[in-house]
Amino acid sequence: MILPTKALARVFHEDVPQAQQPGSWQGSVDFDPADNAVALSRKATSGKSSKGARGLRRGPLAKLGVRVHEMSGLGLVLLLAISAPTAFAQEESGATSEHLGLYSRTIRKFPRPVALSYASDGTLWVADHSGLVQGLDSSGGLVTSFMGPQGGVGGLALAGNESLWISVPWEKAVGRYSKIGMPTGALTSPNPDSPRGGFLEPRGITTFKGHVCVVDAGWGRLDIFKSDGTWQKSIGEGLLKNPQDVCIDSLGRYLVADTGNSRICAFDVEGNLITTFGEWGWFPGLFSDPTAIEAQGERFYVADRENQRVQVFDLQGTPIYRIGMHAILPREGEGTLHYPTHLALRRDGRELALIEPMDGRVQIFGMGLGDAPPKKINRPTDRQPAPHYGTHWDMGAGYLAIPEPETHSIRIYDLRNVEKPEPGQQAGTPTLVTEVGGFGTRLGRYTQPGGVFIGGDPLTLLVCDTGNGRLVETKLALSQEDPLGFTLVAARVQRSLDLAALNETDEQLQRPWTPRPIDVERSADGTTFLLCDLGREIYVLDEFWNLDARFGATEEHPWKHPVAIAWQESTGRLFVCDEGLGRVHVYDRQGHWDSELGEYFLKRPSAISFDKQGHILVIDRGVSTLFTFDDKGSVLRQQGHAGIDRDSFFGPTDVDVNEQGHIYVLDHGNHRGMVFDKKGEWFHAFGSRLYTKPARLPWTIEKNDTEESE
Amino acid sequence: MNIKYAALLALCLLPACDSKQGDDVPSAQNAQAPVDWTWNQSNAGQYWAAWKPATGPVEMGPSFAIEIKLSTTEAGAPLDLQAGQIDIQARMPEHQHGMLQSPEITRLSPGHYRVDGMRFHMLGYWQLQLDISRPPLTERAQFDIQL
């Protein structure tokens, strides 16, 4: 077999990477005729192999140092012909042409990146949740950085090479910043003469031919402005539900990630809906939480967050291939994904950057051979996918209720094995005894379960179905006297409260927006407290769910981003966690302001609970720390830092104290629950084995990889 | 002649074979569905609901119709709602699925409705679920059916 000279030179020349542009992907193909496989591996342009190359096959050609760098399609075909058995595998993998989507490198310079965009000069701009904005060169080196908004960034887009548009849902505003962080303008209020005027929750932004487009998740629409910030029109009202991002494709269509409806909507320039792509599901072409979209040439790319992938489509909406697989190991990356939330394409369409806020990183994908990701993932086969917990949970009457994000159900665990192990036995894991709901819009099903409450007699489950905009009450026929076992007939749905209908019918409300329920509490007398985020309000409902009262932010005591509430029965006070202001607001039952907590200690308080001594426990996801305050608001104890060992959390989101006084922390980023005794000493972890092992066996602790950087 | 006897014998045995098969197939007698109105209070206690088969006993396989009644108290004043305010479904909670077709509701008189297009495609425990919407609240009444 005779190979073309050019191909031969590439095959036998190991130093080709130096000729590559920094950051571009270099495909290498190692052959192993023994198992008829072709393993595609990756190599970063820095010259050192990425960890993703661990799966290199050691076939005869590989032993000779044969690698194919930038091989032309013809060269590849000829080389494949050397080893006939490998041809089938190559054909099976669909590798026929260069495509975007093979892993290149990871950048870890951010606590919680939330938005990014490429400038036309190739600079990658990344905004952190805190408001820190960084410009990075193609190797990930810092070009410049500045503190932009005061936290709560929602979207980012470049305005030429000189300035950036940044949306801030907490501030209900979109501002323009120079590259050194000077505010240079803002978008004007959209729809100024309408009762639905102004921004409510601006998210994704894109710029296009002298225009700026912003999706507003709160209003459910797309606002279009001239580049000087003047509002032109709004489109998509009544069609979009919680949209998170927008792009413009080569046909001039607005493509909107209609996240709440699990689909992509295509609008023409006049704002007419042309078509939609997808619905909720797992199969190719379906979505579960599509949160970002970008288009380039003949393709568009969607970050399909809960399906842990990026889907690539042609302009007709036909799925072509996927990028990434679900990460299983703690902080696993290098092509495997963990809740990818936002993405950006370099202007030449040859590089894609992907944000995973939960892991505090940006993964870069480049061009490579093949139409599909490598089928062989270098992962031990004995490791199973981790069970995922949502961001909220609640404990009561010996049970733990946890929303499960992928199935959109609520899982109910019995805690007897943890709290009352058999004599001589160590604490076991919570036992799954039933599950409630599943994805859907009918009563009893949820599209986006948020805050939950479990407790009372009879045992009652309250769920904030944020996606369907309602509160749902379910009775559970479970008893601590029954033998442990699993049943699917324990749940009996009672009723639901539709917040949109309540808003229309109740004279107290009449908000132009639809209140969105995010957390719920119930007092011993049956009063229900419901936290709604768009209006930053709490609704107080009587036992028949009539609206008894409502209260919220005032000019004197403003709220920025309330995320959770907790009712303290012993003092009759309601605590409101405000992640935006980094403090806890305290009210009496009637909604009169009482006090504040943690102003100088807390960064992103995400949940509160109380122990029997009246101490106030606050979990802070921003610093991965559990704070204990006395009833005067003084800090008694701080425990935890970012990590995976038994002294650590990774973005914890909830805390609860049970009847035995044990403290349960929902260690969300580590997919586990951590249990501490009354003194705060760790004694148990449950959840994914891969994440609980470092807590159970502290001597196996590895270096905290949150501090790693490449 | 032998052939005639064999044919006659086969004809005599045929009904017996059918009868044997019939024992394995659920019949009207096997279905423990009610034949008269069955009343239940809604799960949160704000209304009463009743149902009965409209086209004979409920059995696995064929589509059937039911009638439902809604009232403020048991067999009391009718709760007059539009058909669009009622959502009906039947589910097998142990199998985590519902019916394979969507029923249609027709209002017959105040508080009295007919539901066409019901079908139980499996034997076992079914829940008949009636979701009554009186905005902003929706409340469920449910009935157990063992096929």
Side-chain angles (χ1 to χ4, degrees), chain A residues 124-145:
Chain A
L124 178 62
W125 289 89
V126 183
D128 192 79
H129 187 273
S130 63
L132 175 66
V133 181
Q134 300 181 65
L136 308 172
D137 63 23
S138 56
S139 61
L142 185 65
V143 176
T144 183
S145 69

Side-chain angles (χ1 to χ4, degrees), chain A residues 101 307-310 322-326 335-337 354 365 373 377:
Chain A
N307 283 327
Q308 318 278 357
R309 65 189 177 192
V310 172
R322 63 176 286 168
I323 300 172
M325 288 190 68
H326 186 186
T336 59
L337 306 181
L354 194 59
F365 295 81
I377 299 296

Side-chain angles (χ1 to χ4, degrees), chain B residues 52-127:
Chain B
K52 72 170 187 177
T55 53
V58 172
E59 57 186 24
M60 189 192 82
S63 289
F64 60 92
I66 63 171
E67 289 180 38
I68 58 175
K69 280 186 176 180
L70 303 174
S71 66
T72 50
T73 60
E74 185 176 9
L79 182 61
D80 190 20
L81 302 172
Q82 299 301 311
Q85 291 177 262
I86 306 168
D87 183 28
I88 189 165
Q89 55 183 320
R91 291 190 63 79
M92 298 191 84
E94 291 160 315
H95 296 265
Q96 295 186 299
H97 66 68
M99 294 188 295
L100 299 176
Q101 56 195 47
S102 298
E104 289 187 3
I105 303 173
T106 310
R107 181 174 174 271
L108 301 175
S109 62
H112 187 192
Y113 307 85
R114 179 185 168 94
V115 184
D116 289 289
M118 301 285 294
R119 182 168 173 262
F120 293 158
H121 60 276
M122 277 179 66
L123 290 178
Y125 169 56
W126 288 83
Q127 281 181 353

Side-chain angles (χ1 to χ4, degrees), chain B residues 32-70:
Chain B
Q32 297 172 9
V35 294
D36 203 352
W37 292 107
T38 299
W39 286 89
N40 257 356
Q41 192 171 19
S42 62
N43 292 351
Q46 295 303 299
Y47 68 92
W48 284 76
W51 80 283
K52 72 170 187 177
T55 53
V58 172
E59 57 186 24
M60 189 192 82
S63 289
F64 60 92
I66 63 171
E67 289 180 38
I68 58 175
K69 280 186 176 180
L70 303 174

